[in-house]
Amino acid sequence: MVERALVLGGGGHTGGAWEIGVLAGLADAGVDLTDADLLVGTSAGAVMGAWIASGTPVEEIHERQSAPYGDGPTVEVPFTVVARFLWAMLAFRTPKATARHLGRMALAARTVPEEEALRTMGAMLPVRDWPDRPLRVAAADAHTGEVTAFHSGSGVDLLRAVTASGTLPGVWPPLEIGGRRWIDGGVRSTTNADLARGCRRIVILAPVAKGPGVAAARHAAELRADGSKVALLTPDAAARRAFGRDALDPARRGPAARAGRAQAAGYAEAVAEVWRG
């Protein structure tokens, strides 16, 4: 059985930066989560998982997230896409049904070529090959709504797997892998923390506690019922203010990272109890 898992949820530029801020703040308090035996990432969390699994020191990642964004790619989410997400959250009773609906939206939407999505994601990744450390990347089948965890043994290159995990429906095109089309794993759950099932000790960083599909708290409760020790961390009020209104605004990365670092001290004791026993 895997001993310790770190789950990194989705949440755009601000959510990923907040996660790195939290990890840096916990390290300040003497709690290093980057030595996890398993990393599970969804969307922005998949990007951060790749950075951590590649061995990049968390302080270096934090500095990158806190630096001015410069001339990198930016993305705008149309209001119609936001409205469809909100409607799906209210209209469907099961995570799979929600994911199928958003998958149909993604398949029908006119967005950018697949190559552009890969190029944009490639600019965010530190490496092109799967790291030696176990990393699971969540993506959802656009037709069925089922989530899979891509990993080094899946026969899929890292860039394609992480890009699939972050292909927000209506913004990016569904990505082809193995003759199927894949979309953002966050359409089924913002954390997909159940992919860490079987681990004894699990810490979940959830920049978005509730979204389409399964809420982070529900995953945490189910994992505890299975016998795992679980700590769930979500943004406090100050962090949510730092995020602003647009999770995909890269200019908000710095404030989000600093807010996560400031917030982490209040979590340190509870996280250490789960992580160290």
Side-chain angles (χ1 to χ4, degrees):
M1 177 181 286
V2 175
E3 181 67 22
R4 297 181 298 182
L6 173 60
V7 177
L8 300 165
H13 283 300
T14 57
W18 174 83
E19 289 174 328
I20 294 303
V22 170
L23 293 175
L26 289 172
D28 292 340
V31 185
D32 181 10
L33 301 187
T34 65
D35 61 356
D37 303 302
L38 171 66
L39 292 159
V40 175
T42 298
S43 198
V47 176
M48 297 308 158
W51 275 97
I52 294 166
S54 72
T56 308
V58 71
E59 192 62 40
E60 179 180 333
I61 309 172
H62 187 273
E63 289 176 3
R64 289 175 176 269
Q65 291 296 309
S66 300
Y69 188 66
D71 298 325
T74 59
V75 177
E76 292 186 4
V77 182
F79 174 77
T80 53
V81 171
V82 176
R84 290 286 294 272
F85 266 79
L86 294 173
W87 184 81
M89 290 171 63
L90 296 173
F92 297 95
R93 294 187 177 184
T94 68
K96 187 179 291 187
T98 302
R100 281 199 303 266
H101 170 77
L102 294 173
R104 289 193 296 271
M105 180 184 80
L107 291 165
R110 293 184 179 181
T111 57
V112 300
E114 185 177 279
E115 292 73 18
E116 183 173 336
L118 289 165
R119 185 168 55 252
T120 299
M121 185 62 76
M124 301 180 190
L125 289 180
V127 293
R128 288 294 182 273
D129 296 324
W130 285 92
D132 293 333
R133 296 179 58 193
L135 170 65
R136 297 177 187 172
V137 174
D141 186 304
H143 291 280
T144 68
E146 295 180 354
V147 163
T148 196
F150 293 115
H151 52 81
S152 60
S154 297
V156 181
D157 67 76
L158 177 67
L159 173 58
R160 188 163 285 269
V162 175
T163 303
S165 182
T167 49
L168 187 67
V171 176
W172 297 109
L175 206 73
E176 190 278 329
I177 296 177
R180 301 162 73 181
R181 309 292 287 186
W182 299 89
I183 58 175
D184 196 316
V187 301
R188 179 262 192 176
S189 164
T190 60
T191 64
N192 293 294
D194 57 328
L195 296 179
R197 180 168 282 119
C199 297
R200 295 182 188 276
R201 306 176 186 279
I202 304 169
V203 175
I204 305 168
L205 303 190
V208 180
K210 293 182 180 180
V214 184
R218 176 177 160 189
H219 273 318
E222 291 171 348
L223 292 167
R224 291 186 186 107
D226 286 343
S228 299
K229 292 182 178 293
V230 180
L232 170 62
L233 286 67
T234 60
D236 61 11
R240 293 193 297 272
R241 287 193 296 272
F243 288 2
R245 294 180 178 273
D246 183 3
L248 297 182
D249 181 0
R252 305 303 301 175
R253 295 187 314 171
R258 291 188 288 273
R261 190 166 203 160
Q263 182 183 353
Y267 282 124
E269 185 175 349
V271 172
E273 184 178 350
V274 167
W275 205 242
R276 298 170 181 163

